[in-house]
Amino acid sequence: MRKKSTIILIFIMVAALLLVSCAQEGVPSTTEPEEKQVKGTVTGGDASLGETVNLKDINVEQQGENTVVTMYFLNGSRVAGVDESKISAVPEYSVQMLSAPFRMQVDLSVGFWDYAENNETYSNSVLYGLFNTIHSDSQGKLSVFFQLNEHVEATLKEEGDKLVFTLTPSPQAGQEAYFVGLNAYEAYEQSLIPEDTGLTPTMCDGLADIMLISSPLKDEASAKKLAEEIDLKIANTVPAKKAYSFSMETTALPAYNRDADAESVKEEPVVLKDGTPTPLPVLVENGRYLCTTGKGNIIYARSYVPSSGEDMEQVLKEKLWMIETNGKKTQLELPDFYSVEKAAVSADGRYIGILDSGIENKVLYVYDTEENILHNLGEEGLGTITTSFAWDAERPIVYAMSGLGTSQGASALQLVKYDFSKEAGNRVDAIGGDMPGADSRIALVNGKIYFADKEEAKIYSLDLATEMREEVAQGIDFAVAPDGNNIAAVVPVVEEGGELGGSLTFNIVLTNLSTKEQTEIMRGIGEGESPSIGFDAGSDILYFTTYSYEGTTPQYQVAVLEYSISASELSLLEYSKTERIMPGLNAGEIYIINYYSQNEDSFYVTYVQTEK
């Protein structure tokens, strides 16, 4: 009987254990995420998540006296056309607090950042706002700076796909201190400001501008000494920027010093429009716009003087940079160039053609972005000097006007092509038989290559399908409309009894390539001028420049005119400080490239103007 009772007791105990086990199944763990206090530098996250993590959203809410900031992450980006999916962790991160001014810096390993700022949510919180820094030298690294209006104690915790910060006010008394400032936030993003300068970005008073600032310094002498040291460190990379010292309360935001250096280019009234000096938005702050890729990335040339240890020539050189659609600026891994006249991208986006004008020659290079190879086409049989080039609209073929000699005296110029789809050594072919070319720009539109023979003052087209050449207009320079319907030419007008090359003026003449009908747009452009000329992306508007126009001034010496083909109307667009204009990527857009000088530093700035 006792044995039976024991067996029954065992069954009861097992049943109880089973019930407890069943009750526990499906119950979420009560383990709370670890909360970390942000002291020094705090790191965490999952480094194995890959490069397609997206900072999808940032939410700010007030919970009593605390401000809670939540970062939400997922995989992919609808904005970038990459399918989105959930993740169960946050990406690798690093967090630190910066003081005077108060900021929280969050470094993230992400490939996308689709979050949108919502200034309304910052009201009554410890936040002035936030901004992000896109680092050029690090793939997939984004820094988000939270600008704080007072000192805080910060904690963080990882909650699945969320990174949650709790910011608790911890007021500190302010005191006067000295600082070093530098208006070079763009250069900071480009990794041109050495880390050992100790400068970090901050919002300025008014929250509209971002500058770089040092840690607080004990006295003015220390600040001035540090400014001098910083100037030496950035002399070769960003010579137009100058560090400066100032004082302020440690609890304040710095004033933005627009007069410190070349930052004033953003306020430069580069055009005179309707009688009013007018500044324009800056497209490239320190560089010449060259072209835009099929993905919308901007390629530009940036000038600098190499250090003596880097280059014995010590002459001005250029490096190529790219601005991606997300704002990231990256220097292309290419050698220095002397002066890039033109750059253009192949139809498939793989190759970048670069025409570099050196001291003795003009060389066409092609950079293969997939193989990371720079081809010198002059060394591969194209010719030792190239005057111009254009890419095929569909195939990886580059067409060029190329020949022998130097930039001071080219000979045997001819239209040739270089076909990257063929085996190396068999890629170069002449176009149009043995017919000579000319020292000219070339344009490829609707299967025809256009060029000008300046000695004959004639413009020709060559049909790529038939390789037949045809004279289409008179002139020494030209522009072809993107739709291929019209060509505008700069036509020399020689005085009666004179010779071409002597005293002359120029007319701008439009020719309809189908009907051959000609329209004289403007007469008597001044002797010796070389007008900039180009069609709007929409093909209806022709832009050109002239110094010979009523209303120009010593400061605004160039008149920019526009001719509407549909309206048969010529009008003054504005007066400009520079003749370097070119139609932009979109209809109604113009890029204006000005050579800017200040404090013995000179550099190009590219402005963008949009007609409304």
Side-chain angles (χ1 to χ4, degrees):
M1 187 73 182
R2 181 176 296 173
K3 183 176 181 181
K4 185 176 180 181
S5 299
T6 302
I7 292 172
I8 292 172
L9 182 60
I10 291 172
F11 275 124
I12 292 172
M13 292 175 65
V14 169
L17 288 170
L18 288 172
L19 286 171
V20 170
S21 175
C22 290
Q24 288 179 338
E25 284 184 14
V27 176
S29 171
T30 57
T31 305
E32 286 291 324
E34 179 188 0
E35 188 170 68
K36 304 175 184 178
Q37 190 170 16
V38 183
K39 295 288 187 182
T41 300
V42 178
T43 60
D46 187 345
S48 68
L49 290 179
E51 298 179 352
T52 58
V53 178
N54 184 359
L55 174 54
K56 185 65 174 180
D57 197 12
I58 298 177
N59 182 64
V60 178
E61 63 176 321
Q62 202 65 20
Q63 295 182 2
E65 67 168 356
N66 296 331
T67 297
V68 179
V69 178
T70 305
M71 290 181 156
Y72 296 85
F73 300 93
L74 48 71
N75 232 4
S77 165
R78 291 193 187 123
V79 175
V82 180
D83 290 342
E84 294 182 350
S85 59
K86 291 185 177 181
I87 54 178
S88 58
V90 299
E92 192 174 22
Y93 64 82
S94 172
V95 182
Q96 61 178 316
M97 305 302 293
L98 303 173
S99 61
F102 303 122
R103 289 151 292 161
M104 181 172 70
Q105 178 180 345
V106 183
D107 298 330
L108 300 166
S109 295
V110 294
F112 307 105
W113 40 95
D114 293 350
Y115 78 92
E117 292 184 40
N118 185 355
N119 293 331
E120 293 180 3
T121 64
Y122 309 148
S123 301
N124 302 317
S125 74
V126 296
L127 293 180
Y128 279 125
L130 60 91
F131 61 94
N132 64 42
T133 294
I134 308 161
H135 299 273
S136 296
D137 65 343
S138 179
Q139 185 67 29
K141 180 184 176 185
L142 176 77
S143 292
V144 181
F145 288 87
F146 294 88
Q147 195 80 38
L148 307 170
N149 54 41
E150 61 180 310
H151 181 264
V152 302
E153 297 291 341
T155 61
L156 69 85
K157 56 184 175 181
E158 302 172 24
E159 295 183 354
D161 59 357
K162 299 187 291 291
L163 190 58
V164 182
F165 299 90
T166 300
L167 310 178
T168 304
S170 178
Q172 287 185 354
Q175 57 183 358
E176 192 78 6
Y178 285 89
F179 297 84
V180 173
L182 186 68
N183 296 342
Y185 178 59
E186 181 181 83
Y188 175 83
E189 284 195 299
Q190 294 170 311
S191 303
L192 297 175
I193 308 298
E195 286 188 13
D196 62 3
T197 60
L199 300 177
T200 54
T202 180
M203 284 181 170
C204 298
D205 186 27
L207 308 181
D209 299 292
I210 299 174
M211 63 174 283
L212 303 181
I213 194 170
S214 70
S215 298
L217 299 160
K218 60 181 180 180
D219 52 39
E220 185 176 13
S222 300
K224 287 185 174 181
K225 181 181 178 183
L226 178 58
E228 291 173 359
E229 293 172 354
I230 290 172
D231 283 344
L232 288 174
K233 290 177 179 179
I234 66 174
N236 290 324
T237 53
V238 280
K241 300 296 184 181
K242 303 297 178 187
Y244 55 92
S245 60
F246 64 98
S247 63
M248 71 171 188
E249 285 278 322
T250 53
T251 54
L253 292 180
Y256 194 68
N257 188 344
R258 300 187 184 280
D259 300 322
D261 52 33
E263 195 68 10
S264 56
V265 299
K266 295 179 179 178
E267 308 298 326
E268 176 79 358
V270 72
V271 298
L272 181 70
K273 197 169 181 68
D274 300 325
T276 304
T278 305
L280 298 173
V282 173
L283 181 71
V284 181
E285 184 176 321
N286 184 356
R288 291 186 297 111
Y289 169 88
L290 293 172
C291 64
T292 303
T293 71
K295 294 181 178 180
N297 300 330
I298 289 173
I299 296 175
Y300 68 97
R302 201 169 191 275
S303 303
Y304 84 110
V305 178
S307 64
S308 57
E310 182 183 355
D311 191 330
M312 294 300 293
E313 285 183 313
Q314 281 288 282
V315 297
L316 196 67
K317 296 290 186 70
E318 290 187 332
K319 292 183 180 292
L320 293 194
W321 284 76
M322 179 182 290
I323 306 176
E324 298 179 28
T325 53
N326 60 15
K328 180 178 180 179
K329 302 172 185 69
T330 307
Q331 182 180 308
L332 300 184
E333 295 179 5
L334 296 172
D336 297 347
F337 298 99
Y338 284 98
S339 179
V340 178
E341 287 193 8
K342 179 179 180 179
V345 183
S346 61
D348 60 4
R350 174 173 175 173
Y351 302 98
I352 303 173
I354 305 160
L355 182 59
D356 184 37
S357 181
I359 298 171
E360 295 253 338
N361 53 20
K362 288 173 68 173
V363 178
L364 178 59
Y365 297 92
V366 172
Y367 176 49
D368 183 340
T369 60
E370 289 187 9
E371 299 292 335
N372 196 28
I373 296 173
L374 183 68
H375 296 270
N376 181 331
L377 299 197
E379 295 177 350
E380 298 187 21
L382 194 73
T384 56
I385 182 167
T386 297
T387 67
S388 186
F389 74 96
W391 285 101
D392 189 272
E394 297 177 354
R395 299 167 295 173
I397 298 175
V398 62
Y399 301 94
M401 184 71 78
S402 192
L404 305 173
T406 69
S407 56
Q408 285 75 35
S411 62
L413 287 166
Q414 189 177 13
L415 282 172
V416 292
K417 68 177 180 180
Y418 188 98
D419 189 345
F420 280 93
S421 65
K422 294 183 177 180
E423 291 292 326
N426 297 307
R427 293 174 173 175
V428 180
D429 287 300
I431 309 171
D434 296 328
M435 288 184 291
D439 185 358
S440 168
R441 76 168 76 197
I442 69 171
L444 173 56
V445 181
N446 292 348
K448 292 184 178 182
I449 292 178
Y450 296 84
F451 68 95
D453 187 322
K454 296 176 183 177
E455 293 184 3
E456 297 180 355
K458 293 180 180 179
I459 300 170
Y460 295 94
S461 71
L462 184 141
D463 191 307
L464 290 175
T466 64
E467 297 198 10
M468 297 296 293
R469 182 184 295 199
E470 176 188 6
E471 180 183 340
V472 294
Q474 290 185 317
I476 60 170
D477 198 9
F478 66 94
V480 183
D483 61 11
N485 291 333
N486 294 281
I487 186 170
V490 179
V491 182
V493 181
V494 185
E495 293 182 6
E496 190 173 344
E499 296 181 1
L500 188 61
S503 178
L504 49 80
T505 57
F506 301 97
N507 296 342
I508 304 295
V509 179
L510 183 75
T511 301
N512 184 298
L513 290 169
S514 298
T515 66
K516 308 303 180 184
E517 179 184 355
Q518 292 190 331
T519 304
E520 196 173 77
I521 295 174
M522 185 173 179
R523 296 178 59 85
I525 290 179
E527 178 184 354
E529 288 193 39
S530 181
S532 292
I533 184 169
F535 280 91
D536 177 84
S539 295
D540 183 57
I541 302 295
L542 174 71
Y543 299 107
F544 62 95
T545 63
T546 175
Y547 290 82
S548 311
Y549 201 82
E550 184 180 356
T552 57
T553 68
Q555 188 175 19
Y556 298 95
Q557 304 177 56
V558 182
V560 183
L561 297 117
E562 59 179 359
Y563 179 78
S564 168
I565 298 173
S566 59
S568 301
E569 184 176 284
L570 176 67
S571 59
L572 172 70
L573 177 63
E574 62 205 3
Y575 299 100
S576 170
K577 291 184 176 181
T578 172
E579 77 282 356
R580 298 182 186 92
I581 70 161
M582 59 190 303
L585 187 65
N586 304 305
E589 228 176 38
I590 303 173
Y591 300 152
I592 299 177
I593 303 171
N594 192 29
Y595 196 60
Y596 189 85
S597 297
Q598 186 180 19
N599 298 333
E600 299 181 356
D601 296 310
S602 300
F603 52 94
Y604 287 102
V605 180
T606 303
Y607 300 88
V608 59
Q609 175 173 324
T610 304
E611 288 198 75
K612 297 180 180 179

